[in-house]
Structure formats: C-alpha cells, structure tokens
Amino acid sequence: LGFSGMNAFTSQERTVFVVTFPKNRLEAWATVEADRFPNAVFRLFQSEIEAVYEEKNLYLDDPEQMLYRSVEKELWGDHPLGHEIEGSIEHLKNPSLAKMYAFHDRFYVPNDMAIVLAGDFDRKETLELLEKHFGTWKVAPPPAPDPRVPAALTQLRKAELRFEAEEKAILAWRVPAFADPDADALTVMDMVFSNTRAGVADLSLVQAQKVKSAGSEIEFHNEGGAWDIWVSPKEGQTLEQARDLLLEAVEKVKKGEFSEEDLRANVLNYEIEQKRKLETNGARVAEMAEAFAHYEEWPRAAGRLERLRAVTKADVVRVAGKYLGAAHVEVLRRKGKPEILSIAKPQFTKVTMDPDRASDFFKEITAMPADPIEPRWLENGRDYQETPAGWGRLYSVRNPVNDLFELDLRFERGRRQERELCAAIELANVSGAGPLSADEFKKALYRLGTALSAGCSERDSSIHMTGLDANLEKSVELMRRHFREPRIEPGALDRLIQVQLGAHKDNKLNPETVLEALAEYARYGKDSETLNELSDAEVKALKEDKLAALMRDVLSHARRVSYVGSRSAGEMTRLLDDGFSAYSPIPARQPKRLLRPSADRVLFLDRDMVQSKFGLFAVDGEYDPSRAVGAQFYGSYMGGMDGVVFQQVREARSLAYYAYGGYRQAELRGEDSRASGYVECQADKTAEATALLKQLMSAMPVETKRFDEVKAGIEGLYRSDRVNFRAVPGKVMAWEDLGFAADPRPARFKTALLYTMPELTAFAQRFSKGPWTLFMMGSRPRVDMGALKRLGVLEDRAADQLFPY
C-alpha cells in the first residue's frame, strides 16, 4: 500500500511502533493498527526470540555497547535502569510465551498508550476516523505505578573491561529525573561542557589536540538521570592521563570558566537544531512521543526553549557544583582480548513461509479503495534552479519552512588527485582564520549559529555549512578567511600527526573499521580506498608549509554548490565568487571498477568474536539506465523486512537478527552496479546462513503473490514519495552523475506500471552463476571452515593487509 519504515524500538521506559504511509491510506493504517494490538497473535515467537538472541550477540561484539552497558550497571545497580533492555542470556534461553502474553495484556491497554500522527491530513476528519477504529478498544486499568528509588551513589565506583578497540574512558554522574526543576540548567551545563564545536571540552581538549576525542551527553529518565562524559587518548597517552584532562575540563565548568555569551550561543544553536529537526514528520512525532513517555503536558514540552533561555551562568555553576561530586562512576576500556562466550546453536524447526497464503483480513485491507495520489516530479525552474557561474555550478532551492540555510561546496578533488589534501583539510579543521585563533574562530562561528565542517576522501572533498540565513554573509566570509588565510597554531601539525598515528593503530582494532576495510578490499583489491590512505611514513613526513599552501588553494578550484535558503540564485552566485581571476575547471570524474573474479571466492578475516559478519556481491557490469526499474523491483523483492532474504534467513530459520539482500546501483556513469547481501549471525550458524544467502541470491524464488505486492508498493511509493526540499540538490547532482539531465522518475514510473514477473525473473537470472565474492569476519575456531571452502576459493586476510600502515 506504499507504506515504508515499519518498525519498532524499545528503550528503558517506552516501546514505540513507527511507520510512514501515504495520506490516502489513513483508513487502512487505522484498520490494521486497531486490530493488531488488542488481537495480537505471536506466531513467530520461537524464531523472534532467537532473533533477539542474535541481537544480544551483536551487542556482545560491539565495544561501544559493552562499555556503556558497564557504565549503566555501575551507575544504577539493581534498579531497572541498569538492566539490559533485551534481557540476560538466561532470560533469552528460557523464554515464556505465557509471560509475554501476560506482559502484553498488562501494558498494551489504551490507558497506557498514545497515537501520535504528523502529516498532511484534516484534523477533524482524522480524529473522527481514530475514534471510529480505536474507540472500540475496551478500557482497561493502566498498570499500577511501580516507582523504584535507585540506591544512592555514595562513592566513586570503578570498573574496567578489555576489547579489541580504541581505548576509552567514561565518567558518569547521577542527576535528577526528567521533571526535576534542575533538569533545564543541567541540560545547558551539558552544552557548555561539550556541544561538539565550541564547548569547554571541545576547545580545551579536542581543538587543542590534547586528546584524540572527547564529549558528553545527558539523559533524563522518569526515575533518574545521568550525565556521561567520555574521552579517548591519543598516541603515547595513557587512559588515566586522558581521564585527568577530562576532569580538569569539568572543574572549569564548576568554576564558571565560561561566559553568559557562551550560554546564549548554546541556546541559539539548540534553537537552530530544533528548527532543523522539526522540518520532518518523523521528528515531530518523536517530540510528541517523548512528551507522552515523560508524562509531560504539551504546553510545558513546547516551552522548553524559553526555559533554557532563562538559565543563567549562576544556575549552571550551581548545578555543576551540586551534582558533579566525588560520587560517580568511572569505566575504562583498555585494549585487549575480551572474554568471548561460547554459545550453542539451538535446535530449531524451520517455519514454512507461504507468500501465496492470505487471510480474509488481508484481502479486506488491500481491497480498500483509495483515491490515487498524483506523483510529483522535480522540475528545474520550479523545484530548484541550476545556475552556471565562473566558479562552477549552483543548485539552489528555496527553504519553505524556516530561516535556516544549508550550503555545500563539492570539489571533484581528493586524495587521489592531491595526495596530501585530506591531511591539509584535517589541519584546517583545527586551525584559525586570519587574526582569529582556532578557539576564537570556532567561537565566532558558534555565536552566529553557524556550523562549518570540511571533509575529504579518495576522490572528492567538501565544505559544509548550516546556520541562520541572516548570518550567511558573515559565515561565508569566515569560511573564506579560514581557507585563504589559515592561522595554524604552533605545534598543531605535530599534535595532528600524533593523533593520526594513534588512529591508525585503533583502526586495525575497531571491528567496524576492519570490516569496512575488508569489504573495500573485496570490491577493489589493491585499489581499495582504505589502502589509498596515507601510510605512517607519509603522515610523519607532512610539512606545514605544503599543507598551508593546499588550504589556500582549496577555493581556487571550481565546484558544484548546493544551497537551500531564502536567497536568490543571483545573490548566491555573487556571494560565492572568491575573487580568483580564473578557477581550475571541474575535472571529469574517473570511474572506479569492481573486481570481477573468474570463480566464486571467499575472503576470510579471523577475529575472536561471538558473531560472524559476512557480505557477498556479484558484479552486474557498468551502470545501464535501462536496468534501473529491474534493480528497484529486485531490491524490493529480495530486501527489506518483507523481502525474501529477511523472511527466509530470519523469520523462517532464525539464523540472524540482521539480514539483507538486494541491489546496489552505481553512483557514477561508467562504474559497476552489483547484487549484494549481508548477514550477521552467531558463529556456529555461519555455514548454514552463508550458504542460504548465496543460494537465495543466485536463484531468486519465483512467487507471484509477492511480486504483485512489490509492484503495488513500488507504484504507491512513486505516487506518494516527495523529495524533501533539502535533499533536492543532492538528488539532481546524483542524477547528473548517472548521465540524466532531468528527473528520470517519470519514465521509470511508466516502466514500473507495466513490469512483469518474467522480466524480474530474467533480471535475477544474470546472477545465477555469479561469480560471487564473499567477505567474512569471524572466529576461525567457531566457524565451519570446510563449509566455507565449498562456497568458493578461500583466501585468508589479516588486518595488516587491508591498511597501508
């Protein structure tokens, strides 16, 4: 019916079900949801319990999850806030369907629930429709309040854990609950300490490169709150030394070493963040759901900004002194081997999935009439304006919602074109501008409400800015001076080199970084983006004068620029002229080709972990626009939570929590598209899950009923999907990269309406013989290596082979 994003999540104090749907399907949504909750039948109880256990395994391999769970355990003890949301291993291995029904019957009652809607609908008609469907629910008493006061934290509590990841320390203090009068001052205190740009820790620790990284976050629950601060040490620094620097930053806040102007800047940036966030229905819904979960009346929730504006420096100093005492939690994550649990694969009976079977209720829902929504395509001159300029090309869109701008400068120039460019941009990120020191520059931007970041990769680089349109000229001038007159602090490059060398070591330990490097190697071999990073020797050889020259040269290169705001295209082309007599032209982008092996191959990286993480792909050759609709159908048919792979791997056999199969279209004309899949599963399920994923991707099951549903869904999305105004420039540029001068969707829509099951079968047939490339990270003693060898030529890889350092 054109629905998307159907999912749910659970935190300590709420469970939230979410979905996005076309406005002409409001009646269908209400009919289904009004039935789903009071009449729930848990047909997949056994397989989903095992899937949640796989989620548990995922957390056991995640260094961040394990660190924060250790903090929560120390901070809250036996209080429910200290419990793991998905339960313990013992809970999950001894499930009770009867207890789950009892839980459902106790909490899933109208008195304990809220329906939260945001979108294009008539309020009166919608309320009547909700009453019609949900008003039939039987009123039941809400669950009795069960307040549990956490035991007092009276002294410093310490804990340590070991993991193959970067070292990190977290310090945590208990603070009051959400509704406490001090919550607003504590929220501002958190911003003062770290706002990622100009907070006390941001400037005195990160900007000054005294540590690798640092930050903070505050979280309020109904029965208590917590303020966490964290730090990762740089190369040659101990965890204890980094922790002590973090505590020094806390003392600066307690002593009031910040200004009232800093507070105003914090609240201004919070206001900007809220404006930006509330541009989307999803964020509006989340804001209302948050208020409901905290038992907060909406007028109070809507008045939060005004309350934060009223917070003074004295208020911040007071709450910092009141709550940030010696009684807190300190958890250190050191480098080392974690204790890996040995978990046995359970006996499990496959659930038969029959896509051709449909209930009368299903038929009723899908037969509901709905006035078709006319699709809306993007048009140059109406939805956006494309304007040539001496410095490149501008793609501009008017902001119809608020007074915020977004500006992106995209250069087709990266590490491949200029070996040390990315290092220059890293140094720029910790440098000042003209007469302004690095700290003064960051504060000047922050007080304008402007965020500025620069990035660089193998083939391109960018400058990204957001803020208030009223401050656009001042922001652009600061950005221009930042690059044309960089002020590099004494010793900044030496400190950057030290941080980078430490990051290189950490990269070879962090599981997600290693897995991405393995995937890159599987796709491109020696031409992988990771292998093209600077080596340790190259980092040590960096020279300040060369990097400064590269910074000054950035804006002399032509670029594509996207702008969203209130200014006209003419204003922007003039404002963005940096005054060079000539700009280096935008170079043609060079396609990068995937490796196509002569036979199936398996790349294996041994790592001691609970789960195996593996992906596979088959190259489909250069991008061909005539295959775009087939790729869309194949991706919808195979992927998503209603796709073949998810249903067969997770729901039918409970082999994984996360399972995906689909198609990755090239992003540049001349580059390759690919069929691809990915699964994370318990080590002793690896052989079965890998073989099944490869089988499904090689021989797509032909299911007419599933195809009909996919086709209807794709039509619904074409009709109802609207490109968010902020995403328009990026969409247009992406289409141009593929060779399209205008929105390609009208032609695709016509093709999709006539697309058939035989066409999809023929599309999938190209992958029947592969060759497939599989890449896997897992524990060799726990994985059936003999079974892997039967899937292709086995090649062992070590982390040292995937990185150039």
Side-chain angles (χ1 to χ4, degrees):
L1 302 183
F3 283 49
S4 62
M6 190 167 197
N7 212 330
F9 65 88
T10 303
S11 63
Q12 283 97 334
E13 296 175 329
R14 77 200 71 167
T15 297
V16 182
F17 296 80
V18 296
V19 70
T20 299
F21 56 89
K23 64 179 182 180
N24 65 343
R25 293 296 185 179
L26 185 64
E27 180 96 36
W29 166 81
T31 305
V32 170
E33 298 292 55
D35 179 82
R36 174 158 74 128
F37 292 99
N39 303 314
V41 181
F42 304 117
R43 294 183 179 89
L44 292 177
F45 176 76
Q46 184 184 6
S47 61
E48 280 301 296
I49 281 288
E50 188 60 27
V52 175
Y53 201 91
E54 282 292 355
E55 185 181 14
K56 179 78 170 181
N57 291 337
L58 185 151
Y59 296 150
L60 293 172
D61 282 332
D62 187 322
E64 290 299 289
Q65 284 283 345
M66 296 307 291
L67 178 60
Y68 275 93
R69 285 173 178 228
S70 181
V71 170
E72 289 171 350
K73 181 180 177 181
E74 295 297 327
L75 195 63
W76 299 107
D78 289 335
H79 188 272
L81 290 175
H83 297 173
E84 296 175 354
I85 292 170
E86 77 282 355
S88 67
I89 291 173
E90 290 73 23
H91 293 146
L92 295 173
K93 285 302 180 185
N94 295 282
S96 167
L97 181 58
K99 286 184 178 180
M100 193 166 83
Y101 270 112
F103 179 93
H104 175 272
D105 293 344
R106 179 185 177 197
F107 289 100
Y108 282 61
V109 295
N111 315 56
D112 200 42
M113 298 170 71
I115 298 167
V116 188
L117 287 172
D120 180 13
F121 54 78
D122 180 274
R123 187 174 182 274
K124 182 175 182 297
E125 291 177 3
T126 300
L127 286 172
E128 290 173 356
L129 184 144
L130 295 179
E131 181 63 34
K132 168 186 167 184
H133 290 281
F134 295 93
T136 62
W137 286 8
K138 295 179 181 177
V139 175
D146 185 18
R148 309 186 197 185
V149 178
L153 189 65
T154 58
Q155 60 186 14
L156 174 64
R157 294 179 58 88
K158 293 186 176 184
E160 288 192 8
L161 67 156
R162 296 191 175 273
F163 225 97
E164 290 183 286
E166 68 174 359
E167 294 194 325
K168 188 172 183 178
I170 294 184
L171 309 181
W173 283 263
R174 292 251 288 268
V175 297
F178 178 85
D180 192 273
D182 282 343
D184 294 326
L186 286 162
T187 298
V188 176
M189 181 200 76
D190 176 59
M191 298 177 193
V192 167
F193 184 82
S194 175
N195 48 58
T196 73
R197 287 184 277 157
V200 170
D202 305 320
L203 296 178
S204 67
L205 299 182
V206 182
Q207 173 72 32
Q209 297 176 288
K210 291 183 179 181
V211 299
K212 180 183 176 183
S213 57
S216 69
E217 62 179 342
I218 195 159
E219 187 173 16
F220 295 104
H221 304 289
N222 292 330
E223 295 177 342
W227 187 58
D228 299 345
I229 59 176
W230 52 269
V231 66
S232 291
K234 63 183 182 180
E235 177 70 1
Q237 187 178 55
T238 67
L239 259 176
E240 286 78 8
Q241 289 170 331
R243 174 207 61 199
D244 290 345
L245 289 170
L246 195 64
L247 285 169
E248 287 177 15
V250 173
E251 287 303 310
K252 289 181 179 181
V253 175
K254 293 171 73 172
K255 292 176 182 177
E257 295 181 17
F258 57 91
S259 67
E260 292 282 359
E261 191 175 9
D262 293 331
L263 292 194
R264 290 194 294 275
N266 278 314
V267 176
L268 171 63
N269 281 272
Y270 172 82
E271 179 182 6
I272 291 170
E273 180 186 323
Q274 287 296 104
K275 284 181 178 180
R276 174 67 185 268
K277 190 168 73 172
L278 293 177
E279 291 172 0
T280 67
N281 286 328
R284 296 177 189 126
V285 161
E287 202 76 4
M288 291 184 279
E290 177 91 355
F292 171 76
H294 284 309
Y295 305 97
E296 185 180 36
E297 295 297 330
W298 184 247
R300 184 178 188 277
R304 190 180 191 207
L305 177 61
E306 290 305 316
R307 298 200 310 275
L308 295 182
R309 284 191 178 124
V311 172
T312 65
K313 178 179 177 178
D315 293 328
V316 172
V317 171
R318 176 184 61 79
V319 295
K322 181 178 180 180
Y323 297 106
L324 307 185
H328 64 274
V329 165
E330 174 188 300
V331 180
L332 307 181
R333 184 179 69 207
R334 300 189 187 278
K335 291 178 182 176
K337 288 278 189 181
E339 180 183 351
I340 302 295
L341 300 174
S342 180
I343 305 166
K345 174 184 172 183
Q347 295 297 317
F348 186 79
T349 303
K350 177 192 169 188
V351 178
T352 300
M353 309 298 287
D354 182 2
D356 292 327
R357 184 177 61 189
S359 67
D360 291 338
F361 185 53
F362 174 88
K363 295 172 185 175
E364 174 194 335
I365 298 300
T366 53
M368 280 185 171
D371 294 333
I373 297 172
E374 285 304 309
R376 180 181 172 87
W377 318 119
L378 296 183
E379 292 182 11
N380 191 359
R382 184 191 69 186
D383 304 295
Y384 65 96
Q385 189 166 343
E386 195 170 334
T387 310
W391 44 258
R393 185 169 289 272
L394 173 69
Y395 304 78
S396 56
V397 174
R398 185 162 292 276
N399 182 341
V401 177
N402 51 44
D403 60 348
L404 304 183
F405 78 84
E406 183 167 10
L407 185 66
D408 267 299
L409 285 65
R410 306 184 185 189
F411 303 86
E412 307 298 335
R413 185 166 175 261
R415 193 186 306 112
R416 189 173 287 263
Q417 290 79 17
E418 178 57 65
R419 188 74 181 140
E420 296 173 342
L421 178 61
C422 293
I425 288 178
E426 285 292 322
L427 185 58
N429 285 333
V430 293
S431 298
L436 300 177
S437 69
D439 281 11
E440 290 167 341
F441 173 67
K442 288 285 179 73
K443 283 193 173 186
L445 284 170
Y446 194 69
R447 287 169 180 171
L448 290 173
T450 301
L452 167 66
S453 61
C456 179
S457 64
E458 181 185 27
R459 296 193 293 176
D460 49 44
S461 51
S462 63
I463 299 171
H464 179 72
M465 297 176 68
T466 61
L468 292 168
D469 237 325
N471 293 334
L472 178 61
E473 285 86 358
K474 292 178 182 177
S475 301
V476 169
E477 181 56 29
L478 280 170
M479 178 272 290
R480 186 175 284 132
R481 298 197 76 172
H482 183 51
F483 285 97
R484 297 193 67 172
E485 304 173 46
R487 177 172 166 177
I488 302 171
E489 306 291 335
L493 178 57
D494 291 337
R495 293 190 292 273
L496 177 67
I497 289 171
Q498 192 179 29
V499 169
Q500 287 296 312
L501 293 176
H504 285 180
K505 289 183 179 180
D506 290 338
N507 285 343
K508 292 196 283 188
L509 290 176
N510 290 337
E512 294 307 317
T513 310
V514 173
L515 181 63
E516 180 52 36
L518 179 64
E520 271 282 302
Y521 187 86
R523 295 175 196 132
Y524 301 108
K526 293 181 180 179
D527 203 24
S528 109
E529 181 168 354
T530 304
L531 281 174
N532 279 309
E533 294 174 1
L534 296 184
S535 66
D536 282 355
E538 288 176 301
V539 170
K540 291 175 183 177
L542 292 171
K543 301 298 181 186
E544 184 176 306
D545 56 350
K546 172 69 179 297
L547 299 184
L550 286 171
M551 289 184 219
R552 290 191 291 268
D553 185 52
V554 164
L555 295 176
S556 70
H557 290 261
R559 75 300 301 250
R560 293 189 294 178
V561 174
S562 67
Y563 166 74
V564 178
S566 62
R567 310 303 179 89
S568 70
E571 283 182 271
M572 292 306 298
T573 53
R574 291 189 293 273
L575 178 62
L576 295 173
D577 190 330
D578 299 298
F580 291 94
S581 57
Y583 292 84
S584 300
I586 300 174
R589 296 189 71 181
Q590 296 302 310
K592 187 173 177 180
R593 306 302 298 274
L594 293 165
L595 295 179
R596 186 196 289 267
S598 57
D600 292 347
R601 64 196 290 241
V602 180
L603 281 69
F604 183 81
L605 188 145
D606 181 28
R607 183 183 173 104
D608 196 12
M609 52 197 289
V610 177
Q611 285 194 316
S612 296
K613 302 175 186 286
F614 59 89
L616 55 74
F617 65 89
V619 182
D620 196 28
E622 284 189 35
Y623 174 79
D624 182 345
S626 69
R627 294 204 292 259
V629 172
Q632 185 178 21
F633 270 81
Y634 183 80
S636 296
Y637 190 93
M638 298 295 290
M641 292 183 71
D642 56 349
V644 169
V645 170
F646 188 89
Q647 289 189 347
Q648 291 298 327
V649 174
R650 173 167 163 169
E651 293 184 339
R653 295 172 176 84
S654 201
L655 291 174
Y657 176 76
Y658 185 76
Y660 160 82
Y663 193 88
R664 301 284 188 186
Q665 295 211 62
E667 296 178 356
L668 180 66
R669 197 75 175 257
E671 291 191 337
D672 297 312
S673 299
R674 65 188 188 270
S676 65
Y678 181 77
V679 167
E680 297 177 359
C681 68
Q682 193 170 296
D684 57 0
K685 299 177 182 178
T686 303
E688 183 180 355
T690 312
L692 176 61
L693 179 62
K694 184 182 177 186
Q695 174 194 330
L696 293 170
M697 299 295 291
S698 301
M700 183 191 79
V702 177
E703 300 169 354
T704 304
K705 185 71 166 56
R706 184 189 299 276
F707 175 83
D708 292 341
E709 293 170 11
V710 166
K711 185 173 181 177
I714 287 175
E715 178 183 349
L717 287 174
Y718 271 118
R719 290 185 178 280
S720 64
D721 190 31
R722 300 290 185 262
V723 180
N724 181 274
F725 68 94
R726 289 196 181 276
V728 170
K731 278 279 190 188
V732 173
M733 283 187 268
W735 290 330
E736 285 187 358
D737 289 340
L738 291 172
F740 296 102
D743 191 339
R745 293 177 300 162
R748 292 176 183 174
F749 180 51
K750 291 179 181 178
T751 303
L753 292 177
L754 301 174
Y755 203 74
T756 64
M757 184 77 233
E759 287 179 289
L760 178 58
T761 303
F763 183 92
Q765 185 64 29
R766 289 201 308 282
F767 313 124
S768 61
K769 295 181 180 178
W772 291 94
T773 298
L774 291 83
F775 55 92
M776 178 180 299
M777 184 169 71
S779 172
R780 179 180 290 275
R782 299 163 185 260
V783 171
D784 184 345
M785 300 302 294
L788 289 189
K789 291 178 181 177
R790 293 191 290 272
L791 295 174
V793 178
L794 185 63
E795 305 171 28
D796 281 301
R797 289 289 178 268
D800 286 340
Q801 297 173 291
L802 307 177
F803 297 89
Y805 36 77

